[in-house]
Amino acid sequence: YLPALIRPPQRIVERYSRSFCNRCDVVIAPSVQMKQELERYHISSPIRALPFGVDAEDFAGATRWDARGALGITVPHILLYVGRLGWEKNIQFLLSVYRRLRQQRQDIHLVIAGDGPHRVHLERQAQAMRLGGTVTFTGFLPRAHLISLYRQADVFVFASKTETQGLVVVEAMMAGTPAVAIGARGVLDVVESGTTGILVSEDEEAFANACDELLDDEERRLQLGEAGRRQAHAFTAQASVDRLLALYRELLDRRTEQHPST
């Protein structure tokens, strides 16, 4: 996000995007929602939605890091957020949802993994909400530790409305951890609500209730987690490369048909 004072007007963004994209044989968008946004700019070149995924090999090994022990978590259930700690990620909303959940149950702990410009403010917000020792900010974690944390969490929570792809949601799914998320662009391409996760509106009560119900239903968590794991394989880096290579071959074949002598 650019500060408002230096952010170009939308019409200029659209004009330059259209000018650049119309010089291309095909335009690749990271999600269906981004494809629809570009189509709104009246771009004449064909636009394909092709999300780039995660490395499945990262999730092939066994869990080696005891997140509960390392982070001092003694309650049964872990809620997990992973990502940049910036305003656009809507983490303040997650803290409000978590406070609501804590009023209903005491067997939960929220882990916020990652770092960013608003970490200090968010930590202060958690203290002001009297969430204190029930919220852990880990900062950046080694990749292997992060994957172990994904696997040991019960529910992945995500409230961002500005994602192009929602790769951390795919990573949670790859680890078999169901997500409760706001049904916004990017995430909509990844999660099929009720089948591979749960999507809700930006409503604290609805979000909290979805988490609460999932925490109380282990069988449902396992069902969503397994379905999510299967779905996540469609978003692996290898699957993305295969689709991209197929697109390049299609373009080369088309160019050969149009210019057979070149």
Side-chain angles (χ1 to χ4, degrees):
Y1 273 113
L2 292 172
L5 288 177
I6 62 172
R7 193 180 304 159
Q10 181 64 23
R11 67 181 185 279
I12 294 179
V13 172
E14 293 182 13
R15 184 187 309 152
Y16 277 95
S17 297
R18 183 167 55 249
S19 175
F20 178 81
C21 291
N22 283 343
R23 301 175 189 176
C24 303
D25 294 304
V26 67
V27 177
I28 296 172
S31 69
V32 171
Q33 287 73 39
M34 286 301 298
K35 176 179 181 291
Q36 293 170 344
E37 177 70 12
L38 289 173
E39 287 172 341
R40 194 178 63 79
Y41 298 173
H42 303 293
I43 292 168
S44 59
S45 298
I47 305 172
R48 303 284 184 88
L50 200 165
F52 280 82
V54 301
D55 191 342
E57 292 184 2
D58 289 350
F59 293 81
T63 297
R64 300 183 183 278
W65 186 59
D66 177 14
R68 290 181 176 276
L71 301 177
I73 299 172
T74 58
V75 294
H77 297 301
I78 295 175
L79 301 175
L80 173 64
Y81 165 85
V82 175
R84 183 174 182 271
L85 305 190
W87 282 126
E88 76 281 2
K89 299 299 184 180
N90 208 15
I91 304 167
Q92 61 277 12
F93 172 82
L94 288 181
L95 289 175
S96 297
V97 167
Y98 182 66
R99 177 175 58 182
R100 183 182 289 265
L101 271 171
R102 287 286 302 178
Q103 292 169 355
Q104 304 171 27
R105 57 195 307 156
Q106 303 297 307
D107 61 346
I108 53 177
H109 193 103
L110 175 61
V111 177
I112 297 176
D115 214 332
H118 292 100
R119 176 176 174 177
V120 172
H121 178 89
L122 291 166
E123 288 175 331
R124 289 173 179 167
Q125 183 178 349
Q127 290 293 335
M129 290 179 169
R130 299 187 178 181
L131 299 173
T134 73
V135 178
T136 298
F137 290 81
T138 69
F140 287 113
L141 291 172
R143 183 67 172 162
H145 286 17
L146 185 60
I147 291 171
S148 294
L149 184 54
Y150 275 125
R151 287 173 169 163
Q152 293 170 60
D154 295 279
V155 177
F156 186 77
V157 290
F158 198 68
S160 174
K161 300 174 291 181
T162 61
E163 299 302 299
T164 54
Q165 292 186 242
L167 286 179
V168 290
V169 179
V170 177
E171 290 183 347
M173 292 165 62
M174 186 73 73
T177 300
V180 175
I182 290 177
R185 66 185 229 188
V187 176
L188 287 169
D189 275 5
V190 174
V191 178
E192 182 180 349
S193 190
T195 302
T196 61
I198 298 176
L199 300 180
V200 296
S201 62
E202 190 180 13
D203 177 271
E204 289 181 19
E205 183 176 4
F207 202 113
N209 287 342
C211 291
D212 190 43
E213 292 173 6
L214 205 51
L215 289 168
D216 281 338
D217 192 340
E218 182 179 7
E219 182 178 355
R220 180 72 169 142
R221 292 201 308 273
L222 291 173
Q223 288 174 346
L224 291 174
E226 184 55 36
R229 197 198 314 271
R230 292 194 300 269
Q231 174 70 12
H233 282 282
F235 296 96
T236 63
Q238 185 58 54
S240 299
V241 169
D242 289 343
R243 288 194 292 269
L244 183 61
L245 289 174
L247 178 57
Y248 281 143
R249 285 192 290 270
E250 177 186 330
L251 291 174
L252 287 171
D253 290 344
R254 187 186 309 164
R255 182 63 62 88
T256 301
E257 291 175 359
Q258 294 173 347
H259 306 280
S261 60
T262 60

